[in-house]
Amino acid sequence: MEGIEVGRKMSEVTIIFQPDGKRVQVEQESSVLSAALKAGIDLISICSGKGSCGKCKVIVDEVAAVNAVTLEELEILTPEEVDKSVRLACFTRVSSDVTIKVPEYSRTGKQRFQIEGIETPVHLDPTVKKYYLELEAPTLEDPRCDADRVINAVQNVGNVTDLFVNLNLLKTLARKLRENDWKFIAILWKNEIIDIEPGDRTSRLFGYAVDIGTTKLAGYLIDLSSGRVAAADSLMNPQVPYGEDIISRLNHPEQNKLQQAVCEGINQILEMLLERTGVKSQEIYEMTAVGNTVMHHLFLGIDPLYLGRAPYPPVVRNSIAVPASDLKININPNGKILVLPTIAGFVGADTVGVILAMEIHKKDELSLVVDIGTNTEIVLGNKEQLTAVSCASGPAFEGAHIKFGMRAASGAIEKIVIVPETLDVIVQTIDSKPPVGICGSGMIDLVAEMLKAGIIGVGGIFKRDLDNPRIREVENVKEFVVVPASESGTQAEITFSQKDVSQIILAKAAIHTGIKLLFKRQNIKKEDVAVLFVAGAFGSHINKESARMIGIFPEIDLDKIVFVGNAAGTGARMCLVSESEKVLAEEMSKFTQYLELGIDPDFQKVFLNSNIIPYADLDEFPEMSQVLKDAGNYPEVPPPKF
Amino acid sequence: MEGIEVGRKMSEVTIIFQPDGKRVQVEQESSVLSAALKAGIDLISICSGKGSCGKCKVIVDEVAAVNAVTLEELEILTPEEVDKSVRLACFTRVSSDVTIKVPEYSRTGKQRFQIEGIETPVHLDPTVKKYYLELEAPTLEDPRCDADRVINAVQNVGNVTDLFVNLNLLKTLARKLRENDWKFIAILWKNEIIDIEPGDRTSRLFGYAVDIGTTKLAGYLIDLSSGRVAAADSLMNPQVPYGEDIISRLNHPEQNKLQQAVCEGINQILEMLLERTGVKSQEIYEMTAVGNTVMHHLFLGIDPLYLGRAPYPPVVRNSIAVPASDLKININPNGKILVLPTIAGFVGADTVGVILAMEIHKKDELSLVVDIGTNTEIVLGNKEQLTAVSCASGPAFEGAHIKFGMRAASGAIEKIVIVPETLDVIVQTIDSKPPVGICGSGMIDLVAEMLKAGIIGVGGIFKRDLDNPRIREVENVKEFVVVPASESGTQAEITFSQKDVSQIILAKAAIHTGIKLLFKRQNIKKEDVAVLFVAGAFGSHINKESARMIGIFPEIDLDKIVFVGNAAGTGARMCLVSESEKVLAEEMSKFTQYLELGIDPDFQKVFLNSNIIPYADLDEFPEMSQVLKDAGNYPEVPPPKF
């Protein structure tokens, strides 16, 4: 706040957030959550202030300055927490000046993001082109207008027709031409002359590809003369404080703030990349962007409201090019931003990017692509046909609705082994820090290991009695102690309860149902799948065997399962580097058939059967069944089929 | 100023302009001219503050508050004026608070503008189209995106391909469709769906055509369903206070202010038209604009600097479509503004408009079009060929550089008859007000009458001695008293000097040279011309015979001379009403050959010969010569030919 105290209204109070030391003034009775948002504190709020996620825990230094603990909070907070003045920021309203401590576990923090994706070679043919030109100055004998003079010259050296000059460039064209003594580089985007620059720098040509994830943004600075990534980085999507999941975002009343936030994030990554490479923002003439349909709409300022209401239609499907200045993206202001096309309300431009990257449309063999996230997109097919479905797998893998769930940040448990005999637990955490929670890959390991150890059965129900100190019952709910308080980074136990297991099973059931129905509709058997590509940052850290064990993947050879990282970003980069990939993206957006799972008559039945681990028809998973038999955890009575 | 006194800096002074009562604060030592500009006072300043035109006369109430009268002012002001504290605003610098009176004769005021132009019938086919649609809402079985749904429906009823939805519309499309329960009007501009509106108002469809003149703006609200003018009005171009002629405008350092000024003027006319007709700004989906190349560039924000430097190349020639919101023009924000193409640096979109309006490109017979202004554009040709030239006729006809010259405002002498025997003068003024100056048509009459009365000879030189009280000599310069002080509206004589005659002859010589060289290059004789169209607001008030007498027009039958009014505006209206006229405009911009007079080897010779009234080769004007012979004013020695 630079020490300046702006005139304060009588009804305002000051909140100081610690340990940041950030100070913010808000109206009396504002919630601590909204104040944190205003102060730019990275407080986790998965439910966007609805009071259901219980993640926005803060510590109040002066209880008299806030309202009394609410009944809702008492359901979520432990008595110890209440004693220590822990509150949920969304329920805490401030009546006078107060200091609020935001503990590390309530912060979104710096997450581990995978930005690398598979490298798919493409023919180098960027949409942005440069031509070095030397023109004769106009004379009384040849007083052609400046624009026609440039256009005619470009036509002479390049194979481009219907050329025209960008209006913004026209505004200063006359001076630019003369200041450069009619020797200059003309920069084209398709048939539009978007800028001219001095000198002979035909070899310097850059682009920026962005993957707008719900949680993270990944940005790639691309040297268009080689097609190579000059630098890449990622950032938490600055929309996260407005709501962690896409449903809270599309329902957010201030859509323009969300648009502004994501654009600022994109600019922030760009700034880092420019600093690292010495490239100038003026030298970047195109940005391509992918993202799910909600991210796509929010980025373009398109109201996404109806994407959250059945039948979830997008507003627009085709790719859209916008002048960079319209979106306030800090590339060359006359540059273009191309947002790739979408396929359906829940199969977005990111899926188009993945299709391009995996080139499944070029192959005879059958590919299955799974891009796991809050929403999991699945594409099946080959060059004859592509079909996509979307499954509401939910945010459980990202830590939501799981008591000790968290994102893949420092201290998150990412790998787990349970010793069946003793139920001793061996954990591996991100950055090898003392464990503070369990991230997605850790939860998948945990459920698989609990199954193999016989802690839970194929129905996901705790089946062992309290014969081991690791297994407890609290208020009629059984739970497994993953990390005792003594080994925990929070000095409190990290547990995994029956409820948590059910959340993971629900998530895996959604994905399994999608794959199962896709197979059924296309009349495909799992053996027909030549390769299963697992895309997305999350995917790469999953233990293949654990994921297959609990039925997230069909039972195919582990060799056929390939992690391809941020393939959506790869698709965005390919479109940046090659004009024909842009055309292909548009084609794929129409070629890929969207299958609405909700209207499949078998949906309910398949979904219920998918709640068995790995599946109600255990014969579909012979290898897994054998593992369970060996572990003595194969059901004597087959699980019910619906 | 709403009574609010904003914090005033120590170095600022307050100027009150009377009789307006406008108050403005400026830096000490600012000129009164710049203060008047800031206060929005319509003070005439033809030379844009260079101190050469002497038009910006103001009266200072407190001489101690300003600098002493400068030597430059002493050359221009009469001793009586100096006595009465009359000053030139551009030379007057303010050191302390002062009240400045701006007399009526120093104001640009409300001019008489002709906005009517010839009516040329065109096939009704506006670019903007409306389609009433009723769509099925999306379902899980048919979850096509909203945009595709609208596009497919338009394709079913209209014959349009490659449709797309305007990005701005996409932002709110989902809500608009649902709020209207999927029954709505889709509005198209070419293949772009620019808006949707409720109800079944397919018959309401409006456009706005604007002629951006250097001096005046003319606006026409057009009912696109009938092609008729719903209302029209005009306004002084708000750029005028920044410089009266195009050269001062294109050299003005703050181009963005000029752009803003003209856009505000266009909005101001529109507001008047909307109020008069009850049409809503939202219902106007397209605006077409014509103007000379400088006006064209300034309107679009294109730096026009080099239009003022040989070889005067425009920055751009082709027509340009811009979203209305980009130019802050208050039609539907998703509507389009189409600026017609230009031909050359000094043959602009207005000339393209005149060509369309006169349809000279469709005729076998030869047409000559003269659009008189500060710059006079001349087009000659038929359907085989069109050739255009531009002549720097200068602002004399608008009153500049003429001691008692003025624009066609109230009290301007517009018609003059001189009784040869007595040299008595009969004048007719605009609005029949007491005369305060002479406007263009009056000056043409005056020179013709002075010639017929033998006051001047064919060389334009005063030839009568001081044998009549109407003829005087002041500081070795002869002058003719047009109106004695007793009959004048300013209580001062209105005179016309040798210098003034020379200015008019220079202007007419420029136009005559253009026509003469155009004839010569095209190998045309004046007898070949089937019709001479005189376009422009000024033209319509000229006495044909006087203008032909002094050689502005070639000596052709008076019946062949047709005044067509604001034909440029007609062209803009035609393009609004008919898509094919837009195509034609683009074609005409390329088809019309521009002839650069400056490089014609005969230019100097023809120009010098044109300084004779009507022309050095008097045989070219037999009828006029006879008039002079009858009046006893035919030269015994033929005028010199160069």
Side-chain angles (χ1 to χ4, degrees):
Chain A
M1 297 296 279
E2 307 285 343
I4 297 165
E5 184 84 324
V6 186
R8 170 174 160 177
K9 295 190 205 142
M10 284 308 286
S11 61
E12 284 192 339
V13 296
T14 300
I15 302 179
I16 302 172
F17 286 99
Q18 294 297 4
D20 312 68
K22 283 188 187 163
R23 179 188 292 261
V24 67
Q25 274 176 25
V26 294
E27 293 276 314
Q28 253 183 352
E29 300 309 315
S30 295
S31 77
V32 172
L33 180 63
S34 65
L37 202 63
K38 192 171 169 189
I41 301 291
D42 59 339
L43 184 59
I44 303 180
S45 165
I46 294 176
C47 66
S48 197
K50 294 199 194 70
S52 61
C53 75
K55 297 291 178 192
C56 59
K57 289 176 188 168
V58 295
I59 300 160
V60 176
D61 77 333
E62 175 56 59
V63 291
V66 298
N67 60 333
V69 180
T70 61
L71 290 175
E72 290 90 344
E73 287 172 281
L74 288 176
E75 283 190 14
I76 291 172
L77 300 171
T78 63
E80 293 77 35
E81 285 176 326
V82 174
D83 277 353
K84 289 178 185 163
S85 302
V86 173
R87 295 290 302 268
L88 294 183
C90 58
F91 282 113
T92 310
R93 307 202 161 270
V94 182
S95 52
S96 57
D97 296 354
V98 68
T99 296
I100 301 284
K101 189 176 170 225
V102 184
E104 203 51 41
Y105 57 78
S106 293
R107 290 172 178 275
T108 54
K110 176 78 183 168
Q111 266 191 269
R112 179 183 66 187
F113 288 138
Q114 176 164 11
I115 47 177
E116 291 76 28
I118 187 165
E119 289 297 327
T120 309
V122 288
H123 171 61
L124 200 62
D125 174 29
T127 309
V128 178
K129 291 188 174 51
K130 284 190 171 189
Y131 297 99
Y132 177 69
L133 301 170
E134 295 191 6
L135 306 188
E136 299 286 330
T139 60
L140 285 172
E141 287 75 20
D142 175 15
R144 257 178 311 155
C145 72
D146 293 350
D148 286 353
R149 200 168 289 273
V150 175
I151 286 170
N152 295 348
V154 174
Q155 273 165 342
N156 284 344
V157 295
N159 183 23
V160 202
T161 52
D162 291 331
L163 281 167
F164 69 100
V165 179
N166 175 285
L167 176 58
N168 230 5
L169 173 57
L170 280 178
K171 292 178 181 174
T172 54
L173 181 68
R175 273 172 206 264
K176 282 186 171 171
L177 288 172
R178 285 158 184 87
E179 278 167 8
N180 290 308
D181 202 19
W182 300 91
K183 297 175 187 64
F184 59 91
I185 315 269
I187 295 120
L188 266 73
W189 188 86
K190 299 197 176 184
N191 58 337
E192 179 176 349
I193 299 169
I194 58 171
D195 208 355
I196 69 170
E197 52 178 46
D200 182 11
R201 290 190 291 145
T202 38
S203 60
R204 273 181 83 84
L205 195 59
F206 292 90
Y208 184 38
V210 175
D211 172 27
I212 306 174
T214 309
T215 304
K216 75 154 205 292
L217 307 176
Y220 309 84
L221 181 65
I222 308 293
D223 183 340
L224 297 180
S225 60
S226 68
R228 274 196 281 271
V229 178
D233 212 328
S234 71
L235 199 75
M236 173 78 76
N237 186 335
Q239 291 176 342
V240 168
Y242 294 90
E244 298 232 343
D245 60 80
I246 51 172
I247 300 301
S248 9
R249 295 220 203 137
L250 62 83
N251 282 318
H252 197 281
E254 293 175 292
Q255 298 289 326
N256 59 330
K257 287 200 177 167
L258 295 182
Q259 183 186 27
Q260 205 184 322
V262 70
C263 290
E264 281 168 8
I266 290 169
N267 281 332
Q268 216 175 317
I269 298 177
L270 180 61
E271 207 174 302
M272 296 189 287
L273 303 183
L274 295 181
E275 209 172 284
R276 212 174 295 160
T277 55
V279 173
K280 292 185 181 64
S281 62
Q282 285 284 333
E283 295 176 316
I284 303 174
Y285 301 100
E286 185 177 11
M287 172 182 136
T288 55
V290 295
N292 64 50
T293 309
V294 175
M295 290 302 109
H296 170 283
H297 282 33
L298 283 174
F299 175 54
L300 288 169
I302 298 171
D303 187 349
L305 185 65
Y306 295 92
L307 285 170
R309 302 186 181 184
Y312 321 105
V315 176
V316 64
R317 185 198 49 74
N318 54 281
S319 59
I320 292 180
V322 194
S325 51
D326 279 15
L327 290 174
K328 297 193 176 60
I329 296 294
N330 297 334
I331 64 170
N332 186 302
N334 296 355
K336 301 288 174 181
I337 294 171
L338 187 100
V339 183
L340 264 62
T342 66
I343 293 170
F346 282 98
V347 185
D350 46 357
T351 302
V352 172
V354 172
I355 292 172
L356 293 185
M358 304 327 303
E359 299 191 306
I360 59 177
H361 58 284
K362 291 187 179 172
K363 294 173 183 161
D364 291 312
E365 60 177 41
L366 206 62
S367 305
L368 179 66
V369 180
V370 180
D371 192 346
I372 300 175
T374 304
N375 211 68
T376 297
E377 296 91 22
I378 306 169
V379 186
L380 175 70
N382 58 12
K383 64 182 185 184
E384 305 294 333
Q385 188 174 24
L386 290 180
T387 311
V389 299
S390 161
C391 326
S393 41
F397 295 137
E398 284 161 4
H401 310 312
I402 305 287
K403 193 166 183 191
F404 289 95
M406 67 180 286
R407 289 229 177 88
S410 208
I413 301 172
E414 54 169 348
K415 285 193 189 305
I416 298 180
V417 175
I418 300 177
V419 182
E421 295 74 27
T422 60
L423 300 195
D424 281 352
V425 182
I426 303 156
V427 301
Q428 177 185 317
T429 61
I430 296 177
D431 299 338
S432 303
K433 290 278 173 69
V436 295
I438 315 167
C439 70
S441 59
M443 297 181 219
I444 291 171
D445 263 4
L446 185 52
V447 174
E449 291 290 301
M450 286 170 77
L451 182 66
K452 285 195 281 178
I455 301 169
I456 55 175
V458 297
I461 308 297
F462 272 61
K463 57 186 282 194
R464 276 180 74 148
D465 288 333
L466 311 176
D467 54 357
N468 184 299
R470 292 268 181 179
I471 299 172
R472 288 199 315 224
E473 193 168 281
V474 178
E475 290 175 7
N476 287 326
V477 178
K478 284 193 177 163
E479 61 183 27
F480 178 67
V481 179
V482 183
V483 178
S486 60
E487 294 167 22
S488 155
T490 61
Q491 282 79 51
E493 282 175 341
I494 297 172
T495 61
F496 206 71
S497 72
Q498 180 67 66
K499 280 183 188 164
D500 297 331
V501 172
S502 301
Q503 289 293 333
I504 296 299
I505 288 180
L506 272 175
K508 86 95 187 176
I511 299 172
H512 189 268
T513 304
I515 296 175
K516 183 90 185 161
L517 288 175
L518 201 44
F519 280 2
K520 200 198 78 179
R521 284 302 190 90
Q522 303 300 309
N523 213 14
I524 297 291
K525 288 193 214 65
K526 62 179 190 284
E527 293 76 19
D528 300 335
V529 174
V531 60
L532 164 57
F533 293 118
V534 182
F538 169 59
S540 304
H541 301 93
I542 297 177
N543 179 314
K544 289 181 194 179
E545 204 165 350
S546 296
R548 193 180 62 165
M549 174 107 205
I550 68 171
I552 293 178
F553 303 148
E555 194 174 82
I556 59 175
D557 284 352
L558 291 182
D559 294 349
K560 286 185 177 176
I561 303 176
V562 182
F563 293 126
V564 295
N566 190 346
T570 304
R573 284 152 48 199
M574 290 162 75
C575 286
L576 196 57
V577 165
S578 170
E579 173 67 17
S580 53
E581 293 293 325
K582 288 194 175 94
V583 175
L584 203 55
E586 193 63 40
E587 284 171 13
M588 286 304 110
S589 138
K590 284 181 265 186
F591 178 69
T592 308
Q593 292 200 322
Y594 173 67
L595 199 66
E596 174 55 52
L597 292 181
I599 55 172
D600 192 296
D602 294 336
F603 178 78
Q604 279 303 324
K605 190 179 136 206
V606 172
F607 181 72
L608 287 172
N609 286 337
S610 293
N611 276 275
I612 304 300
I613 328 178
Y615 187 60
D617 193 348
L618 287 173
D619 292 345
E620 271 196 17
F621 288 80
E623 201 179 316
M624 296 304 101
S625 300
Q626 191 58 49
V627 171
L628 294 181
K629 275 177 195 158
D630 294 347
N633 195 18
Y634 193 76
E636 283 166 32
V637 181
K641 287 187 201 170
F642 297 94
Chain B
M1 295 295 281
E2 305 286 346
I4 297 166
E5 185 83 325
V6 186
R8 169 173 160 180
K9 297 191 205 141
M10 283 309 287
S11 60
E12 285 192 337
V13 296
T14 300
I15 302 180
I16 303 171
F17 287 99
Q18 294 296 6
D20 311 68
K22 283 188 187 163
R23 179 188 292 258
V24 66
Q25 275 175 27
V26 293
E27 293 276 314
Q28 253 184 353
E29 299 309 316
S30 296
S31 77
V32 172
L33 180 63
S34 66
L37 203 62
K38 192 172 170 189
I41 301 291
D42 59 339
L43 184 59
I44 303 180
S45 165
I46 295 177
C47 67
S48 198
K50 294 199 195 70
S52 61
C53 74
K55 298 289 179 193
C56 59
K57 290 177 187 167
V58 294
I59 300 161
V60 177
D61 78 333
E62 175 56 60
V63 290
V66 298
N67 60 334
V69 179
T70 60
L71 290 175
E72 290 90 345
E73 287 172 279
L74 288 177
E75 283 190 13
I76 290 171
L77 300 171
T78 63
E80 294 76 34
E81 286 176 325
V82 175
D83 277 353
K84 288 177 185 162
S85 302
V86 172
R87 296 291 301 268
L88 294 183
C90 58
F91 283 113
T92 309
R93 308 203 160 268
V94 182
S95 51
S96 57
D97 295 354
V98 68
T99 296
I100 301 284
K101 188 176 170 224
V102 183
E104 203 50 42
Y105 57 78
S106 293
R107 290 173 178 275
T108 54
K110 176 79 182 165
Q111 265 191 270
R112 178 182 66 185
F113 288 138
Q114 177 165 11
I115 47 177
E116 291 77 27
I118 186 165
E119 290 295 329
T120 310
V122 288
H123 172 59
L124 200 62
D125 175 28
T127 309
V128 178
K129 291 188 173 54
K130 284 188 172 190
Y131 297 100
Y132 177 69
L133 302 170
E134 295 192 8
L135 307 188
E136 298 287 329
T139 60
L140 285 172
E141 288 74 19
D142 174 16
R144 256 177 313 156
C145 72
D146 293 349
D148 286 353
R149 200 169 289 274
V150 175
I151 287 170
N152 296 347
V154 173
Q155 273 165 343
N156 284 343
V157 295
N159 183 23
V160 202
T161 52
D162 290 332
L163 281 166
F164 70 100
V165 180
N166 175 286
L167 176 58
N168 230 5
L169 173 57
L170 280 178
K171 292 178 181 174
T172 54
L173 181 67
R175 274 173 205 265
K176 281 185 171 172
L177 289 172
R178 285 157 183 87
E179 278 167 8
N180 290 308
D181 202 19
W182 300 92
K183 297 175 185 65
F184 58 91
I185 315 270
I187 296 118
L188 266 74
W189 188 84
K190 299 199 175 187
N191 58 337
E192 180 176 349
I193 299 171
I194 57 172
D195 208 354
I196 69 170
E197 53 178 44
D200 183 11
R201 289 191 291 145
T202 39
S203 60
R204 273 180 84 83
L205 195 59
F206 292 91
Y208 184 36
V210 175
D211 172 27
I212 306 173
T214 309
T215 304
K216 76 154 204 292
L217 306 176
Y220 308 84
L221 181 65
I222 308 293
D223 183 340
L224 297 180
S225 60
S226 67
R228 274 196 281 272
V229 177
D233 212 330
S234 72
L235 198 74
M236 172 79 76
N237 186 334
Q239 291 176 340
V240 168
Y242 294 89
E244 298 233 343
D245 60 80
I246 52 172
I247 299 301
S248 10
R249 297 221 202 135
L250 63 84
N251 282 318
H252 197 281
E254 292 175 293
Q255 298 287 326
N256 60 329
K257 287 201 177 164
L258 295 182
Q259 184 186 25
Q260 205 184 321
V262 70
C263 290
E264 282 169 7
I266 290 169
N267 281 333
Q268 217 175 316
I269 299 176
L270 180 60
E271 208 173 302
M272 296 190 287
L273 303 182
L274 295 182
E275 210 173 282
R276 214 175 293 160
T277 55
V279 173
K280 291 185 183 64
S281 61
Q282 285 284 333
E283 295 176 316
I284 303 174
Y285 301 100
E286 185 178 11
M287 173 183 135
T288 54
V290 296
N292 64 51
T293 309
V294 174
M295 290 302 109
H296 170 282
H297 281 34
L298 283 174
F299 175 55
L300 289 169
I302 298 172
D303 186 349
L305 184 66
Y306 294 92
L307 285 170
R309 302 186 181 185
Y312 320 106
V315 176
V316 64
R317 185 198 50 73
N318 53 283
S319 60
I320 292 179
V322 193
S325 50
D326 279 16
L327 291 175
K328 298 194 175 61
I329 296 294
N330 296 336
I331 63 170
N332 185 302
N334 297 355
K336 300 288 173 181
I337 293 170
L338 187 99
V339 182
L340 265 60
T342 66
I343 293 171
F346 283 98
V347 184
D350 46 357
T351 302
V352 172
V354 172
I355 292 172
L356 293 185
M358 304 327 304
E359 300 191 304
I360 58 177
H361 58 285
K362 293 187 179 170
K363 294 174 183 161
D364 290 312
E365 59 178 41
L366 206 63
S367 304
L368 179 66
V369 181
V370 180
D371 192 346
I372 300 176
T374 304
N375 211 68
T376 297
E377 296 91 20
I378 307 169
V379 186
L380 174 70
N382 57 13
K383 65 182 183 185
E384 305 295 332
Q385 187 174 24
L386 290 180
T387 312
V389 299
S390 162
C391 327
S393 41
F397 294 137
E398 283 160 5
H401 310 311
I402 304 287
K403 194 166 184 192
F404 290 95
M406 67 180 287
R407 289 230 178 86
S410 209
I413 300 172
E414 55 170 346
K415 285 195 189 305
I416 297 180
V417 174
I418 299 177
V419 181
E421 295 73 28
T422 60
L423 302 195
D424 281 352
V425 182
I426 303 155
V427 302
Q428 177 185 317
T429 62
I430 295 176
D431 299 337
S432 303
K433 290 277 172 68
V436 294
I438 315 168
C439 71
S441 57
M443 296 181 219
I444 291 171
D445 264 3
L446 184 52
V447 174
E449 291 292 300
M450 285 169 79
L451 183 65
K452 283 196 280 180
I455 300 168
I456 56 174
V458 296
I461 307 297
F462 271 64
K463 56 186 282 193
R464 275 180 75 147
D465 288 335
L466 311 177
D467 54 357
N468 184 298
R470 290 268 180 179
I471 299 171
R472 288 202 315 226
E473 191 166 281
V474 178
E475 289 177 8
N476 287 326
V477 178
K478 284 193 175 161
E479 61 183 29
F480 178 67
V481 179
V482 183
V483 178
S486 59
E487 294 166 22
S488 155
T490 61
Q491 283 79 54
E493 280 175 344
I494 296 172
T495 60
F496 205 70
S497 72
Q498 180 66 69
K499 279 183 187 166
D500 296 331
V501 172
S502 301
Q503 289 293 332
I504 295 300
I505 288 180
L506 272 176
K508 85 96 186 176
I511 298 172
H512 189 268
T513 304
I515 297 175
K516 183 90 185 162
L517 289 176
L518 201 43
F519 280 1
K520 200 197 79 179
R521 283 303 190 89
Q522 303 300 309
N523 213 13
I524 298 290
K525 287 194 215 61
K526 61 181 192 283
E527 293 77 18
D528 300 336
V529 174
V531 60
L532 164 57
F533 294 118
V534 182
F538 168 59
S540 304
H541 300 93
I542 296 177
N543 180 315
K544 288 180 194 179
E545 204 164 349
S546 296
R548 192 179 62 166
M549 173 107 207
I550 70 171
I552 293 178
F553 302 149
E555 193 173 83
I556 60 175
D557 283 352
L558 291 181
D559 294 348
K560 287 185 176 177
I561 302 175
V562 182
F563 293 124
V564 295
N566 190 347
T570 304
R573 285 153 46 199
M574 291 163 75
C575 286
L576 196 58
V577 165
S578 171
E579 174 67 17
S580 54
E581 293 293 324
K582 287 194 176 92
V583 176
L584 203 55
E586 194 62 40
E587 285 172 12
M588 286 305 111
S589 137
K590 283 181 268 186
F591 177 70
T592 308
Q593 291 200 322
Y594 172 66
L595 198 66
E596 174 56 52
L597 291 180
I599 56 172
D600 192 295
D602 293 336
F603 178 77
Q604 279 303 325
K605 192 180 135 204
V606 172
F607 181 71
L608 287 173
N609 286 337
S610 293
N611 276 275
I612 303 299
I613 329 177
Y615 187 57
D617 194 348
L618 286 173
D619 292 344
E620 272 197 17
F621 287 80
E623 200 178 319
M624 294 305 101
S625 299
Q626 191 57 49
V627 171
L628 293 182
K629 276 178 195 156
D630 294 349
N633 195 18
Y634 192 74
E636 283 166 32
V637 182
K641 286 187 202 169
F642 297 93

